[in-house]
Amino acid sequence: MAMPRTYTKQNICDNTLDEAQLATRCPLDNGRRSITPVHPSIGNLDKLPVEILTQVLMYTDVPSITRFRRVNSLAMLLVDSVPKYAAIIKHCPNIIRAILSIQADGFNCNVLYATLSSTRCSTCDCFGDHLYLIDCRRVCYLCFTSRLEYMPLTIGRASTFFKPDTTQQRPAITSRQSLRVANPPSILGLPGRYCTAWSDKGGNLVRKRLELFDRGAVIQDPAGPGFRMLDKGNREPYRFMAIITAPHLFDSGLQVDWGYFCLGYENETEEGKRHFRIKYTRNEFLEHVAKYGPVKETPRIPDRYMHASQAQQ
């Protein structure tokens, strides 16, 4: 059902993973054909009850589930019958495509479903209409473009926080090897254009795949040693390479809410609650209107809308 005085898409190209041609890079065959098990065996896993197998799959990362799904038709049938996985595939297949494309294996399918079933940005109280896929956190546009924790580190910068061990090892363990041993959450970013632009040809070009590490898992104090003022900029492409739009799944995964922008704030750029990039779930928007009044067209400026409370100020 359409929501009055709202809109769902802005004429801005954010150049996140949403614009990475994921359907072409990572085509999915889920639901395209009926599955008849030709090889009715998955080895020793046949000994486990289906309920146990379902739980095991839910606590497995998406790339590993996908590899298991390719074993044979019975494995495919088993994976596709997991309700939470099926809900994600049905409502937001691009999230699965993105996870596979950037090899985001730092979280399991259960964490992904739980995150999609939540609404709040992990660093503010707005609706988090994006996912930060290095460690699967909900985040809103204003937070992921400004906060340090969403600015990942390249392998070169991340390894500088790990000291090489030259005491006993021959050959010595390098800082990069120490980073590998620590194994903080990471992705392998896709080449392409990233960061917000007012046209589909804007953004900053990243020419090759880059391994990016979660900043918070590498540095205890994001603003401590190693911090660069450049890291706070919202034009840095690394900020956008692990981001994808995400809906809210509810009613046990049967329904989905992609969120709404308020027409009354279409031209607002205030910090805080009044900003045109803030998105609302359906219920949140109804509460928003109840608090600030209905959205009405201003009499003096055609096609300009304001809340009733704003018009009275």
Side-chain angles (χ1 to χ4, degrees):
M1 179 186 293
M3 291 282 287
R5 304 306 193 194
T6 64
Y7 58 109
T8 58
K9 189 171 179 60
Q10 296 178 326
N11 295 322
I12 306 172
C13 185
D14 285 330
N15 288 304
T16 61
L17 288 169
D18 292 289
E19 284 74 44
Q21 299 178 333
L22 294 172
T24 302
R25 290 179 185 270
C26 186
L28 301 175
D29 64 356
N30 303 72
R32 291 187 179 181
R33 58 188 178 185
S34 59
I35 304 172
T36 303
V38 178
H39 305 286
S41 175
I42 47 176
N44 290 331
L45 293 178
D46 285 333
K47 300 175 183 179
L48 294 176
V50 173
E51 295 79 9
I52 298 296
L53 284 172
T54 298
Q55 288 298 311
V56 170
L57 289 171
M58 283 304 300
Y59 285 92
T60 305
D61 61 85
V62 171
S64 296
I65 290 176
T66 303
R67 287 192 291 270
F68 173 71
R69 189 176 176 274
R70 294 170 183 161
V71 168
N72 58 33
S73 55
L74 182 57
M76 183 181 293
L77 182 64
L78 181 62
V79 170
D80 290 355
S81 64
V82 177
K84 292 181 179 179
Y85 173 83
I88 298 171
I89 283 288
K90 177 181 178 181
H91 295 297
C92 36
N94 257 12
I95 290 178
I96 297 293
R97 292 187 179 108
I99 290 171
L100 297 175
S101 297
I102 64 175
Q103 301 176 27
D105 58 3
F107 52 90
N108 60 47
C109 194
N110 200 54
V111 168
L112 175 60
Y113 182 84
T115 304
L116 289 171
S117 299
S118 66
T119 59
R120 287 285 176 266
C121 170
S122 60
T123 43
C124 76
D125 61 356
C126 292
F127 172 43
D129 56 325
H130 295 82
L131 287 188
Y132 170 76
L133 286 178
I134 298 184
D135 65 358
C136 196
R137 275 182 280 170
R138 269 203 182 275
V139 61
C140 66
Y141 175 85
L142 297 179
C143 282
F144 89 72
T145 56
S146 63
R147 295 184 65 101
L148 279 174
E149 51 262 65
Y150 303 111
M151 177 65 178
L153 301 171
T154 62
I155 187 171
R157 289 198 63 203
S159 62
T160 62
F161 295 93
F162 291 83
K163 296 181 179 180
D165 184 356
T166 59
T167 55
Q168 299 177 350
Q169 300 293 330
R170 293 293 184 272
I173 297 177
T174 66
S175 57
R176 287 200 178 193
Q177 289 172 329
S178 297
L179 174 64
R180 296 295 185 199
V181 171
N183 195 30
S186 65
I187 62 164
L188 191 59
L190 298 172
R193 291 192 176 275
Y194 295 94
C195 85
T196 302
W198 294 94
S199 71
D200 58 3
K201 295 183 180 180
N204 296 329
L205 180 62
V206 176
R207 297 185 179 276
K208 61 182 181 179
R209 303 202 73 168
L210 294 174
E211 192 167 11
L212 299 175
F213 293 84
D214 178 56
R215 190 184 198 93
V218 174
I219 312 173
Q220 290 186 347
D221 181 7
F227 165 69
R228 307 177 307 171
M229 286 303 297
L230 188 64
D231 292 344
K232 294 190 70 174
N234 60 13
R235 301 294 298 171
E236 280 293 296
Y238 301 158
R239 283 190 178 276
F240 297 75
M241 294 177 71
I243 297 292
I244 191 166
T245 304
H248 170 223
L249 298 184
F250 63 101
D251 193 14
S252 299
L254 296 177
Q255 298 189 63
V256 65
D257 184 349
W258 286 92
Y260 304 87
F261 296 105
C262 177
L263 201 56
Y265 287 167
E266 188 176 18
N267 299 290
E268 296 286 349
T269 57
E270 260 187 40
E271 292 290 334
K273 295 298 182 181
R274 291 172 59 172
H275 198 286
F276 74 100
R277 294 306 302 252
I278 293 176
K279 217 171 186 180
Y280 305 86
T281 64
R282 179 182 179 83
N283 289 338
E284 287 173 346
F285 183 74
L286 294 176
E287 293 173 1
H288 175 73
V289 170
K291 182 176 181 179
Y292 296 102
V295 178
K296 298 180 179 180
E297 187 173 7
T298 57
R300 297 181 180 179
I301 308 175
D303 297 324
R304 176 75 180 266
Y305 295 84
M306 298 179 69
H307 282 281
S309 59
Q310 292 176 275
Q312 295 170 2
Q313 293 176 359

